[in-house]
Amino acid sequence: MYQENIKEIENLITNYFEGIFYGDITKLESCFHKNVYIYGDIKGVDYLKSVNEYLEGVKSRQSPRDLNENLKMKIIGIDIMGKIAMAKLHVPMLGYNYYDYLSLTKINNDWKIVNKLFTHVQ
């Protein structure tokens, strides 16, 4: 069961990375539960948005791919306990050095992001 869950979570995170990198809103939206709020800070400025506001922001900006960046996003670690999991990710892009903590839950046999926390580290 663990191996199956880890593979499913890795696939979800790959979709998450590709959605962000390519600006693929459909792929990115499929990763999130509909009631997610995203909390973080960007250079010390607080950030709080609903998943819909977040997706609109991704949609309206140039994607890292459009700006000729290389996809350097990676999984640092995943911790699974039953139907919940935490993922720590390194998400460098658009001149920022982001780290994400994603809370995941298995809902109707699909893993979904139910919370996203992030920060920019210099």
Side-chain angles (χ1 to χ4, degrees):
M1 187 60 133
Y2 180 84
Q3 290 301 330
E4 179 183 317
N5 283 328
I6 197 81
K7 195 175 274 310
E8 290 172 4
I9 290 170
E10 287 172 345
N11 288 338
L12 171 77
I13 293 170
T14 296
N15 286 337
Y16 172 75
F17 286 158
E18 290 176 356
I20 292 169
F21 186 77
Y22 295 106
D24 185 337
I25 302 307
T26 303
K27 186 175 271 193
L28 189 56
E29 184 176 24
S30 73
C31 298
F32 287 94
H33 185 273
K34 64 182 181 196
N35 295 328
V36 171
Y37 273 86
I38 295 144
Y39 303 90
D41 75 271
I42 303 172
K43 295 184 178 180
V45 177
D46 291 340
Y47 179 104
L48 169 61
K49 293 192 176 179
S50 70
V51 70
N52 291 331
E53 291 168 324
Y54 168 72
L55 292 168
E56 194 56 43
V58 172
K59 184 179 176 180
S60 64
R61 66 153 165 78
Q62 279 191 287
S63 73
R65 181 176 184 260
D66 290 344
L67 296 170
N68 295 316
E69 292 185 15
N70 294 319
L71 198 157
K72 296 179 183 176
M73 301 171 191
K74 66 181 181 181
I75 298 170
I76 295 171
I78 298 171
D79 187 16
I80 304 170
M81 293 286 241
K83 291 174 59 173
I84 63 169
M86 287 293 297
K88 181 179 180 183
L89 313 175
H90 186 211
V91 188
M93 63 167 192
L94 303 173
Y96 292 93
N97 188 34
Y98 290 124
Y99 285 86
D100 291 2
Y101 288 90
L102 303 179
S103 300
L104 308 163
T105 302
K106 196 165 194 177
I107 302 168
N108 299 324
N109 289 323
D110 288 321
W111 286 96
K112 295 289 183 183
I113 299 167
V114 294
N115 189 45
K116 173 181 171 174
L117 296 170
F118 75 94
T119 190
H120 162 68
V121 178
Q122 298 193 346

